Amino acid sequence: MKKLTLFFLSLLALGFGFQACDNTKTYAEMLEEEKDGINAYIRDHNIKVISQKEFYDQDSTTNVDDNEFVQLASGVYMQIVDRGSTNRADTVKNNDQVLVRFMEYGILQKDTTLSNLNSTEIVDEFRYTVSSSSIAGLFLQEYMYSYYGTQVPAGWLVPLPYIRNYAHVKLIVPSKMGHQNAMQAVYPYYYDIQKYQIWN
């Protein structure tokens, strides 16, 4: 009986020892690291964050000269560099195909992780769909499709109500609004999307 008790106590002590050596982060710690990373990126790049009210008061635009980004309710930070077409009807509609030129920068990795800006013959393409309860985008080809699968990051769809054909937008996308890899790793990304082109 003594040997059995000693054995269980040894196992218990060993278990506590392994637990003390566990270097994995909790989800809460990863979210805190993400928040700190985004705040550091905003500070280091002299970004002026404005409220949604200020954004709407400015006719849903951001002042590029002041490096303004609006923080939206989704957690996405957005700068509209160029709203696009002057024709108000030139907006993305249900079932449109959209071509994009973009650069993806990992905020925590501090490095460009993906880009098609220098690939003159390559543009990423997705189909935009709207239902009564949701909006979605499915990649059809190229880099984002190859690296992350078919689901368009929700953060990429956030600008669509505010822009038109050929718009240029910059985004800071928290992990919950990112692609599958971003959500799993709790990594935020900065995107420079230099063209949202409607391709019917």
Side-chain angles (χ1 to χ4, degrees), residues 72-92:
L72 300 166
S74 62
V76 172
Y77 295 81
M78 174 179 70
Q79 180 182 74
I80 299 175
V81 179
D82 182 349
R83 187 179 269 175
S85 172
T86 55
N87 182 350
R88 290 182 179 267
D90 263 350
T91 57
V92 180

Side-chain angles (χ1 to χ4, degrees), residues 2 29 41 58 63 89 131 161 179 192:
K2 271 186 171 180
E29 289 171 329
Y41 186 87
Q58 296 173 183
N63 187 323
S131 71
H179 47 65
D192 185 354

Side-chain angles (χ1 to χ4, degrees), residues 108-122:
L108 299 183
Q109 302 96 318
K110 297 184 178 179
D111 195 13
T112 299
T113 50
L114 198 59
S115 176
N116 68 7
L117 294 181
N118 295 323
S119 304
T120 55
E121 296 179 10
I122 295 175

Side-chain angles (χ1 to χ4, degrees), residues 25-185:
K25 295 175 186 169
T26 66
Y27 182 65
E29 289 171 329
M30 293 166 80
L31 285 174
E32 190 61 34
E33 186 176 83
E34 175 183 46
K35 181 181 172 186
D36 292 344
I38 290 172
N39 288 337
Y41 186 87
I42 288 169
R43 182 188 63 244
D44 294 346
H45 290 84
N46 299 314
I47 292 171
K48 178 184 177 185
V49 178
I50 63 171
S51 69
Q52 282 189 240
K53 182 184 182 317
E54 291 172 290
F55 176 65
Y56 295 136
D57 288 347
Q58 296 173 183
D59 190 30
S60 299
T61 60
T62 52
N63 187 323
V64 178
D65 293 336
D66 288 344
N67 203 22
E68 285 183 351
F69 277 67
V70 58
Q71 183 178 17
L72 300 166
S74 62
V76 172
Y77 295 81
M78 174 179 70
Q79 180 182 74
I80 299 175
V81 179
D82 182 349
R83 187 179 269 175
S85 172
T86 55
N87 182 350
R88 290 182 179 267
D90 263 350
T91 57
V92 180
K93 297 170 187 65
N94 183 41
N95 219 29
D96 277 347
Q97 286 177 234
V98 182
L99 306 179
V100 287
R101 288 207 163 279
F102 74 97
M103 182 273 296
E104 175 187 78
Y105 177 87
I107 289 175
L108 299 183
Q109 302 96 318
K110 297 184 178 179
D111 195 13
T112 299
T113 50
L114 198 59
S115 176
N116 68 7
L117 294 181
N118 295 323
S119 304
T120 55
E121 296 179 10
I122 295 175
V123 289
D124 283 51
E125 180 181 348
F126 69 87
R127 182 175 304 283
Y128 178 67
T129 57
V130 181
S131 71
S132 59
S133 60
S134 67
I135 60 170
L138 291 176
F139 284 115
L140 303 173
Q141 64 179 9
E142 298 311 338
Y143 291 158
M144 291 293 282
Y145 175 85
S146 298
Y147 282 82
Y148 303 124
T150 58
Q151 196 64 41
V152 174
W156 279 33
L157 305 177
V158 167
L160 297 182
Y162 309 106
I163 62 172
R164 302 177 194 129
N165 197 22
Y166 288 102
H168 179 184
V169 174
K170 295 180 180 179
L171 304 169
I172 297 172
V173 178
S175 59
K176 68 178 183 175
M177 296 295 286
H179 47 65
Q180 191 64 37
N181 292 26
M183 288 188 269
Q184 288 174 349

